[in-house]
Amino acid sequence: MIKFKKKVKQKGEENILPSGIVLETEKFTMQEPRWMTLLLKGVLVYLIVMGAMGCLLSAVNVRYHSLVVHLVLLLAGIFCAFLYYNKIWENVGYLFLLGVMFWAGIGLRKYINSGFYAVANDLAEEASGFFDSNAMRSFGEQIGNRELAITISMCYIGCVCCIVMNVLISRRMQYILAVPLSIGSLLFPLYLELEPSIGYAAMLLTGILMAYMIRGNGHYQLTNTNIAYAFNKKKKQIRYIYAGKLLGGIMLAVFVLCFLLLQLASVIYSKESFQENRSTSKIKEQSMDTVENFYMLGVMGLFNFYPNTGGLTNGTLGGVSAIRLDYNTDLTVEFTPYSYDRVYLKTFTGAYYLPYSNRWKRLEEEEQAVEKSIDTAKELKKAYKNQQQKSAKGKMKITNVAAATGVYLPYYSMNEEKTVYPNQTQEYTYYPYLTDQTFSLEEENLDMWLEIPQENYEAIQKFSEEAGLSGDADVIVRQLAQYYQEEIPYTYRPGATPWRQDFVNYFLEKNRKGYCAHFASAATLIFRYYGIPARYVEGYAIDADEISEDGKALRDKRYEDYYDGYSELGKISVIAQDVTDADAHAWVEIYVAGRGWTPVEVTPPSGEEENTENDLWSMFRRLFSGSGDKADIDSEAQEETPVFDEGTREVSRNTALIVSAAILILIAGQWVIKSSYSRWKYQKADRNEKLMLQYQKYLHKMDVRYKPIESLVNYRQQIEWLCENDFLKLGEEEKERCIQILEQAGFSNQEIREEELLQVLGWIRRGKYSLKS
Amino acid sequence: MKQKKIKLRPFRIIGYVILYGINLGLSFILRSYFLWLTAIILTIAPVLSITMVSMLSKSIRLSSMCEDEKIAQGDNCFLDIILENPLWYCAALECVTNWKITNGFFETSSEISLSMAIGGKGKNALRLPVRGEKLGQICFCCNEILLQDLLGLVQIRKKVEVMQHLFVLPKEDKQNIEEVTEYGAGMTEVEESKEKGSDFAEVSEIREYIPGDRIRDIHWKLSAKQETLMVKERIAMAGSEMVVLVKLPMEEKETEAVLKKAYDLSRGFLGEKIPFRLLCWNQTLYSFEEYSCNKMQEVVNAFCEIFRQPVSCRKSENQEAYMKNCYPYLSRYLAVWSQNGSVQLEIQEND
């Protein structure tokens, strides 16, 4: 059986130093009660917690009973700090605290939730205003008395924070963790340009500076005794443990100083002036969408749910918060351009929209026969064979470089079975539709292309009315495209569709911004609402200007091998065009009688400000990627943009001004206080002290210029040296008299006479003049 | 190597720079008034902190005080270390004084640093409770104060010269005193004559009184005639007084034991009102140091003087021979020395 024995202190364990001296550490004096330090640590916890919380609440301008919260948090901070008074307090106290917090949490949960939601709602309102967003997250407040609910909630949350902060501060003074915890909650209001009040800012800064200070000086560890000093045998060091009174004084001084400096700064450069001159930083501008997503959708708003970010998602929608383009080549297309129209390569056709699942569904197997209608292509082929006017035949070679396996079908082609696997090349034959001629096509059952899910009907109806669409198919397409362009901005960063929301409804009713998939999906259902058979299509779209800029002319290839017949561009060379994910696109096909399924474009062009490489993620990626073309482009762009704009310069100027003013005021203040104190001391002093003060002052001035006087320790030596060096012009008698008076003033209890004082002061004054001269 | 007056604390500075950098970065990104104000505070704080400590370093004063300058071995005393700050607007939470504690007798030393806090305009005293475990002259010496600014970014070194001496004397052992006193009883005729009130010591000359001369050496009759104090100069110590020779070995424990024995012997003699002379060899002077002991204070002073020189210069093999040459009239003396680890006390003939 193991027996535990109390460790007895052996003689060898005594703090014997080699010099034969024993430090009797157990006899250290009990200089200061421990509770003083604990009290201060409690106040420190309170300053940090209340400072951070007050900053947040004052920034959002929430109304609550601040005095109650102050009192509760002060008591909580002190209580938590006193838990470390001894082991029993710590164990029992934490249990008690846990019980109280649990009981309060259960009993006041409605108030706590409601108060928290009230603050969150206020913050959300500010956020909606800032982001200029119509959508707003709001939480149900259960308690009518908002002020009371917020007060209770803040008291509760504050107490929890005090417990956490106490663990960090009282025991280990870990300001490194305390800073992000306290400042972290403030970042979002600061992002929204909401500013906290100066009082709370001073509290928070005092708390953080004090924690940094105490940690830096290393005297923060607690013991269970009141011993003022402890001996560290290993380091051979005696360290003080408590300096509560001094810390209290320093804490008060730091708070007053912080408060005064903040006030001074706000007088010199007010919050209003700052806000007038405030400019939005580039980084903030670029991160706004990300932060908005985060605010709207939480953490998941920051992530994309599926990897393909180029718009080709096989009909899956809404999982992308932002499109991130890599600009790498997906396909290489060899063909001969024949018109200025866009060249589409179709890969996915969505027939049914599945609301809330947020995806387009292809046709079922048995229905695909209908979709596979290639009537128009057949008619165009027939026309080409008959050598009709404006008929032609083209050949397109598509090489899959890095795209998904699939069919990349040019319009009016009959090679629907030709799947292009990675690193493979497929050849398609197509018959361009360059004529206005219509054909007598087989009648199709178009009912399925008019289906609108019940869940979307109301939103589609409301939007259609709002857009004021009317007329035949061509007109509606034009009107819708126009309305989109005017009212709904195109963006690569629309944010992911929130959980349990429908993609199309969210786009039309709340978010009202998006990229091609948003516009095309909604347009498909809108066209159907107006009785226009429509379907959603995904693929690649290559613009004519892109071909003219990036297309490589293949001189070794014969035009005749690739194209035959009418061309709007005439006979030009064969072109090899790299197709990247930036060309990925979604569009709509509508069924036009006599022409069949015709692609229509409703997506508005992207704004100039859109640059997918400027979001936070891309910036982060660029930071760690090597220098490439893009990096070069970015650096060029950066060169054009000044790093510091006018606002920043203004702020920097004012900062420098305030710092200089503060330093000058401090120096001047110190000088004023010092001289006032000296004057006061001089007035209060008796004749002996007056003489000594004046004489010391004179010697101090001499000290600054002439070092030798430092080594002269008595009045005789000093006066003799001063006389020898002609600083004092005294005869032998006067010299002796001067020394005698000084010795009497310095050492005797007998006060010198007034005339003696005046006599020596006169000599000193003369000495000062000679010093000046 | 010359140490720098100002020492930077890189980790603390890096920590502060990180804090400052984060604030500045956030301020640059968010363009927030609060962060801008924070940046101002964070800019001013280190300037103030360093200025304060620099001013404090110029005006701070260090002193030390010991309530007893002489303590018995194993006894306690308090050493007061006092820091004084005359400036009300400067304070430091870390003020380290590095002390070197040396035992001049045994030539051992140790170092210790004391960390104290000092507030504005006032004194802070640390009462250091110490116990003397080894005999000797203990010197507490501080040559520098390291002052750290409030934020802990820099440390300023200030040169000072503060010294405090403490003598650790042997502790009284009553039983031992009784034992050793017997050696003195009836050892010399001096003792017997003293009982009778006469002095048989040989007088070599009569001279004028010099302060410090013993009262009993005054020639009262002659003094009355010449109207000035005259004293009888005796031939060395020729049998006039008891002579105790302390022969110190090099080994620490033996030395302590010899000194303790000698101290007890001295106390015992004085208890019996037997005056004596204490001799101790000084290799540096190559002669005996001679201490006349008529009262306890003189014994204490004699031991303090012995402790002033290191034990290494107290040892000599030829002490007996030198005794014969130096003090030819001395017939016998009492020697205290150590042999095979035990202290010997023996009356030795000086012939």
Side-chain angles (χ1 to χ4, degrees):
Chain A
M1 193 178 145
I2 302 165
K3 283 184 181 177
F4 293 96
K5 284 183 183 172
K6 195 179 171 185
K7 196 181 173 189
V8 181
K9 197 173 179 182
Q10 301 295 315
K11 197 170 166 63
E13 285 181 299
E14 279 187 322
N15 307 314
I16 303 176
L17 303 175
S19 50
I21 283 293
V22 178
L23 292 173
E24 299 255 65
T25 48
E26 66 275 13
K27 288 181 184 160
F28 273 138
T29 45
M30 310 277 179
Q31 282 188 338
E32 192 170 276
R34 202 153 33 100
W35 62 263
M36 185 82 177
T37 304
L38 292 172
L39 182 77
L40 276 165
K41 287 191 172 176
V43 174
L44 191 56
V45 168
Y46 155 76
L47 282 176
I48 295 175
V49 174
M50 189 65 227
M53 193 174 265
C55 280
L56 174 72
L57 297 176
S58 62
V60 188
N61 209 8
V62 176
R63 285 172 62 85
Y64 65 106
H65 300 288
S66 57
L67 190 66
V68 177
V69 179
H70 273 276
L71 270 173
V72 169
L73 293 198
L74 180 62
L75 289 174
I78 292 170
F79 180 84
C80 289
F82 269 82
L83 290 176
Y84 295 117
Y85 190 77
N86 59 32
K87 285 279 167 206
I88 301 168
W89 280 48
E90 191 177 343
N91 294 328
V92 178
Y94 267 118
L95 281 176
F96 171 74
L97 200 61
L98 198 70
V100 169
M101 294 309 287
F102 179 75
W103 172 81
I106 297 288
L108 299 168
R109 66 182 184 281
K110 276 189 184 172
Y111 284 91
I112 295 165
N113 285 341
S114 187
F116 180 75
Y117 288 158
V119 176
N121 285 340
D122 283 359
L123 192 59
E125 204 178 318
E126 295 285 354
S128 294
F130 178 78
F131 290 119
D132 198 19
S133 166
N134 296 323
M136 187 187 127
R137 293 178 85 180
S138 75
F139 304 94
E141 295 171 37
Q142 293 164 293
I143 305 294
N145 189 342
R146 218 165 178 259
E147 220 168 316
L148 179 69
I150 292 172
T151 306
I152 292 173
S153 179
M154 290 307 111
C155 286
Y156 188 81
I157 294 167
C159 287
V160 174
C161 292
C162 279
I163 296 169
V164 176
M165 204 54 79
N166 184 52
V167 175
L168 298 176
I169 293 294
S170 287
R171 201 177 267 271
R172 294 244 155 237
M173 213 47 79
Q174 284 176 324
Y175 70 93
I176 288 180
L177 288 173
V179 168
L181 277 178
S182 53
I183 302 279
S185 61
L186 256 180
L187 286 181
F188 192 55
L190 293 181
Y191 192 91
L192 303 178
E193 294 172 5
L194 304 171
E195 299 294 347
S197 78
I198 281 178
Y200 288 116
M203 279 176 80
L204 181 59
L205 285 174
T206 305
I208 289 168
L209 277 175
M210 282 306 295
Y212 182 86
M213 220 179 260
I214 297 170
R215 171 87 187 184
N217 286 287
H219 300 272
Y220 53 86
Q221 278 168 342
L222 295 161
T223 61
N224 289 330
T225 62
N226 278 335
I227 289 176
Y229 292 90
F231 179 60
N232 187 329
K233 220 170 174 179
K234 214 171 175 181
K235 292 183 181 172
K236 294 257 169 60
Q237 193 179 42
I238 293 172
R239 292 168 64 78
Y240 76 90
I241 302 170
Y242 305 110
K245 280 179 198 162
L246 176 59
L247 273 181
I250 293 175
M251 195 186 283
L252 187 67
V254 171
F255 178 73
V256 171
L257 203 65
C258 280
F259 189 77
L260 290 179
L261 276 173
L262 293 178
Q263 285 291 358
L264 175 77
S266 64
V267 167
I268 295 174
Y269 192 37
S270 68
K271 194 195 286 187
E272 289 70 30
S273 312
F274 183 91
Q275 278 166 344
E276 272 172 28
N277 290 319
R278 173 164 30 207
S279 57
T280 311
S281 69
K282 248 186 143 45
I283 298 172
K284 188 174 173 182
E285 261 175 23
Q286 286 152 9
S287 67
M288 268 164 80
D289 285 319
T290 310
V291 176
E292 191 184 352
N293 284 338
F294 177 69
Y295 148 69
M296 288 295 293
L297 313 168
V299 178
M300 296 311 283
L302 300 174
F303 300 101
N304 288 335
F305 297 137
Y306 36 79
N308 193 328
T309 54
L312 296 181
T313 58
N314 286 328
T316 309
L317 307 166
V320 180
S321 64
I323 291 175
R324 296 166 207 157
L325 303 177
D326 57 15
Y327 294 96
N328 291 330
T329 304
D330 289 352
L331 304 171
T332 302
V333 183
E334 275 181 33
F335 73 114
T336 307
Y338 51 89
S339 78
Y340 293 105
D341 293 336
R342 249 179 194 185
V343 176
Y344 289 101
L345 301 175
K346 192 164 85 168
T347 188
F348 172 85
T349 307
Y352 306 108
Y353 176 68
L354 304 178
Y356 293 97
S357 296
N358 298 339
R359 65 187 182 91
W360 284 94
K361 195 183 160 200
R362 289 174 191 270
L363 289 173
E364 299 292 340
E365 281 294 316
E366 61 271 18
E367 292 170 318
Q368 281 192 3
V370 184
E371 194 210 0
K372 282 181 182 173
S373 164
I374 46 172
D375 290 351
T376 314
K378 280 179 184 168
E379 291 298 327
L380 287 167
K381 186 179 177 183
K382 210 185 284 174
Y384 168 73
K385 281 196 172 168
N386 296 335
Q387 293 190 331
Q388 283 182 8
Q389 216 180 3
K390 292 188 177 177
S391 64
K393 178 189 171 187
K395 190 171 85 179
M396 191 180 275
K397 279 186 182 174
I398 297 177
T399 307
N400 187 342
V401 179
T405 301
V407 177
Y408 295 95
L409 195 66
Y411 268 86
Y412 312 114
S413 164
M414 288 183 289
N415 309 110
E416 291 190 343
E417 73 286 355
K418 284 189 174 175
T419 301
V420 193
Y421 294 95
N423 300 318
Q424 272 194 351
T425 302
Q426 278 290 1
E427 194 176 295
Y428 294 90
T429 305
Y430 61 96
Y431 300 92
Y433 201 149
L434 299 169
T435 171
D436 295 332
Q437 186 190 350
T438 55
F439 304 102
S440 53
L441 303 170
E442 270 182 38
E443 282 290 315
E444 273 189 42
N445 180 9
L446 298 170
D447 291 348
M448 58 180 290
W449 307 112
L450 292 169
E451 274 182 24
I452 301 172
Q454 196 60 42
E455 293 86 340
N456 298 104
Y457 198 86
E458 198 183 324
I460 295 290
Q461 187 180 32
K462 204 174 143 192
F463 183 83
S464 303
E465 282 166 13
E466 176 196 313
L469 307 176
S470 62
D472 60 16
D474 283 350
V475 177
I476 287 173
V477 169
R478 267 202 312 277
Q479 282 177 345
L480 183 62
Q482 184 70 22
Y483 188 78
Y484 271 166
Q485 187 158 1
E486 284 168 6
E487 300 295 329
I488 302 180
Y490 180 96
T491 176
Y492 283 123
R493 298 186 291 271
T497 305
W499 185 247
R500 291 182 181 170
Q501 293 243 23
D502 177 64
F503 178 77
V504 172
N505 290 359
Y506 179 70
F507 167 66
L508 293 177
E509 290 179 333
K510 288 184 177 171
N511 205 21
R512 292 179 74 91
K513 59 185 175 187
Y515 53 87
C516 54
H518 294 81
F519 291 103
S521 296
T524 306
L525 297 184
I526 291 165
F527 291 149
R528 287 179 182 183
Y529 174 76
Y530 284 100
I532 306 164
R535 58 194 194 189
Y536 171 84
V537 186
E538 283 179 0
Y540 289 96
I542 311 161
D543 285 322
D545 54 352
E546 195 185 337
I547 296 168
S548 64
E549 278 174 24
D550 303 333
K552 281 178 242 164
L554 302 173
R555 306 281 174 210
D556 55 333
K557 302 277 168 85
R558 277 160 37 103
Y559 174 81
E560 292 75 21
D561 294 340
Y562 281 83
Y563 200 81
D564 182 38
Y566 173 74
S567 168
E568 285 177 357
L569 305 176
K571 191 178 175 181
I572 59 169
S573 59
V574 179
I575 298 290
Q577 176 69 39
D578 286 338
V579 179
T580 68
D581 56 357
D583 298 313
H585 191 44
W587 63 94
V588 187
E589 281 181 0
I590 59 168
Y591 190 83
V592 181
R595 291 182 71 93
W597 289 105
T598 309
V600 290
E601 201 57 80
V602 288
T603 302
S606 63
E608 277 179 13
E609 78 283 358
E610 294 293 352
N611 181 355
T612 52
E613 284 298 295
N614 279 340
D615 62 29
L616 272 185
W617 305 108
S618 308
M619 285 165 63
F620 186 76
R621 184 162 56 83
R622 274 209 306 274
L623 194 67
F624 294 102
S625 64
S627 60
D629 293 341
K630 287 217 170 294
D632 294 340
I633 291 164
D634 288 344
S635 61
E636 277 168 24
Q638 275 178 2
E639 274 170 24
E640 286 166 14
T641 317
V643 178
F644 297 108
D645 53 21
E646 192 48 46
T648 314
R649 274 199 291 273
E650 173 83 17
V651 171
S652 310
R653 265 199 303 273
N654 285 312
T655 309
L657 188 73
I658 287 169
V659 169
S660 319
I663 291 169
L664 280 176
I665 288 169
L666 280 168
I667 293 167
Q670 188 206 330
W671 182 79
V672 167
I673 292 166
K674 211 172 161 181
S675 55
S676 313
Y677 178 71
S678 306
R679 203 159 297 159
W680 173 80
K681 207 172 158 186
Y682 188 74
Q683 279 168 359
K684 296 276 265 181
D686 60 12
R687 283 193 290 274
N688 286 2
E689 286 167 349
K690 274 181 185 169
L691 179 58
M692 283 298 106
L693 282 169
Q694 285 293 339
Y695 181 66
Q696 290 301 332
K697 206 170 158 186
Y698 173 61
L699 281 190
H700 180 70
K701 280 189 180 168
M702 295 297 299
D703 261 354
V704 176
R705 296 189 185 187
Y706 304 99
K707 288 286 165 193
I709 204 153
E710 277 184 348
S711 57
L712 308 174
V713 288
N714 60 46
Y715 297 127
R716 178 168 292 280
Q717 285 178 345
Q718 288 166 356
I719 295 293
E720 278 175 355
W721 186 86
L722 288 168
C723 289
E724 274 169 25
N725 291 282
D726 281 348
F727 292 114
L728 282 182
K729 291 186 174 76
L730 303 175
E732 272 308 308
E733 264 184 44
E734 281 177 332
K735 193 167 78 179
E736 284 304 318
R737 181 82 188 119
C738 182
I739 293 164
Q740 196 186 347
I741 295 169
L742 282 171
E743 282 179 345
Q744 189 184 340
F747 303 121
S748 172
N749 292 330
Q750 201 183 344
E751 206 173 349
I752 55 170
R753 283 179 285 125
E754 186 68 30
E755 57 268 26
E756 287 174 333
L757 171 70
L758 293 173
Q759 195 178 23
V760 180
L761 287 183
W763 289 330
I764 290 174
R765 207 164 294 130
R766 271 194 291 168
K768 277 184 189 170
Y769 290 135
S770 67
L771 187 68
K772 276 180 194 167
S773 63
Chain B
M1 202 176 91
K2 198 181 172 186
Q3 284 177 310
K4 282 182 186 171
K5 196 187 169 195
I6 297 177
K7 187 182 161 195
L8 301 177
R9 300 184 72 209
F11 284 109
R12 297 290 306 163
I13 292 171
I14 290 168
Y16 197 83
V17 168
I18 289 171
L19 264 184
Y20 191 80
I22 289 171
N23 181 72
L24 217 60
L26 283 173
S27 184
F28 182 72
I29 294 167
L30 301 177
R31 308 283 160 97
S32 152
Y33 189 62
F34 166 76
L35 292 171
W36 175 72
L37 291 175
T38 310
I40 287 177
I41 297 282
L42 292 181
T43 310
I44 291 172
V47 176
L48 265 181
S49 176
I50 294 168
T51 310
M52 270 168 63
V53 76
S54 141
M55 291 168 86
L56 183 62
S57 72
K58 283 178 189 161
S59 56
I60 198 165
R61 285 192 286 267
L62 176 71
S63 57
S64 68
M65 218 166 67
C66 202
E67 56 183 9
D68 299 312
E69 284 197 354
K70 296 169 185 114
I71 57 166
Q73 192 176 20
D75 280 1
N76 297 309
C77 79
F78 285 104
L79 176 71
D80 290 319
I81 290 154
I82 304 151
L83 273 177
E84 194 181 349
N85 173 17
L87 305 174
W88 65 269
Y89 48 89
C90 292
L93 285 171
E94 180 76 338
C95 181
V96 180
T97 50
N98 289 327
W99 293 81
K100 190 170 184 184
I101 307 170
T102 50
N103 187 325
F105 186 62
F106 286 119
E107 294 176 289
T108 53
S109 71
S110 48
E111 283 180 355
I112 192 161
S113 65
L114 309 179
S115 151
M116 297 162 81
I118 179 84
K121 184 94 187 144
K123 287 180 182 175
N124 187 11
L126 161 60
R127 294 216 96 185
L128 196 62
V130 292
R131 194 173 77 225
E133 274 296 302
K134 279 186 200 171
L135 299 177
Q137 183 197 22
I138 311 293
C139 177
F140 296 87
C141 175
C142 178
N143 291 321
E144 61 178 18
I145 307 177
L146 298 171
L147 276 165
Q148 196 166 292
D149 71 312
L150 285 175
L151 290 173
L153 305 174
V154 297
Q155 209 171 43
I156 294 184
R157 188 182 301 274
K158 184 186 176 159
K159 292 269 172 218
V160 287
E161 267 182 34
V162 177
M163 206 176 271
Q164 184 66 46
H165 292 283
L166 177 71
F167 289 97
V168 182
L169 300 166
K171 201 175 174 79
E172 183 183 345
D173 184 344
K174 276 186 180 162
Q175 200 187 336
N176 204 14
I177 290 168
E178 281 166 19
E179 282 172 22
V180 296
T181 308
E182 288 165 15
Y183 280 90
M187 188 186 107
T188 63
E189 67 276 18
V190 178
E191 169 61 18
E192 286 160 17
S193 64
K194 202 173 86 51
E195 292 289 317
K196 293 171 193 159
S198 46
D199 190 348
F200 296 97
E202 206 172 319
V203 177
S204 62
E205 61 172 325
I206 308 284
R207 59 168 173 80
E208 276 194 22
Y209 174 81
I210 300 167
D213 283 340
R214 293 178 303 178
I215 304 292
R216 66 191 177 94
D217 285 345
I218 297 173
H219 197 309
W220 294 108
K221 281 181 186 172
L222 198 62
S223 300
K225 279 179 193 168
Q226 297 198 354
E227 293 183 349
T228 181
L229 285 176
M230 301 300 287
V231 289
K232 291 174 270 185
E233 181 83 350
R234 292 167 196 283
I235 296 170
M237 293 162 293
S240 64
E241 273 182 332
M242 173 98 69
V243 171
V244 178
L245 175 66
V246 183
K247 291 162 77 179
L248 293 177
M250 283 290 281
E251 207 277 316
E252 194 178 300
K253 277 192 178 165
E254 286 180 20
T255 304
E256 283 207 330
V258 168
L259 284 166
K260 202 168 169 333
K261 199 72 149 181
Y263 194 73
D264 287 339
L265 187 72
S266 308
R267 288 185 74 94
F269 284 169
L270 290 179
E272 295 294 318
K273 297 188 177 155
I274 305 169
F276 63 96
R277 290 210 168 204
L278 203 63
L279 299 187
C280 191
W281 179 253
N282 187 331
Q283 185 71 23
T284 318
L285 302 172
Y286 208 77
S287 71
F288 287 103
E289 280 175 11
E290 200 180 303
Y291 307 103
S292 174
C293 301
N294 297 307
K295 48 190 178 187
M296 201 54 219
Q297 189 55 45
E298 286 174 346
V299 174
V300 169
N301 289 344
F303 273 80
C304 289
E305 288 304 316
I306 290 172
F307 290 149
R308 281 188 204 278
Q309 291 291 328
V311 71
S312 55
C313 73
R314 297 278 179 205
K315 186 170 163 58
S316 170
E317 296 298 327
N318 305 317
Q319 287 186 40
E320 286 81 3
Y322 190 77
M323 196 76 167
K324 282 171 200 164
N325 295 333
C326 217
Y327 304 108
Y329 301 104
L330 183 69
S331 55
R332 284 182 293 178
Y333 62 90
L334 190 60
V336 189
W337 85 101
S338 173
Q339 193 175 45
N340 302 327
S342 68
V343 181
Q344 304 293 319
L345 197 61
E346 202 176 73
I347 298 164
Q348 292 189 348
E349 298 298 328
N350 193 27
D351 48 16

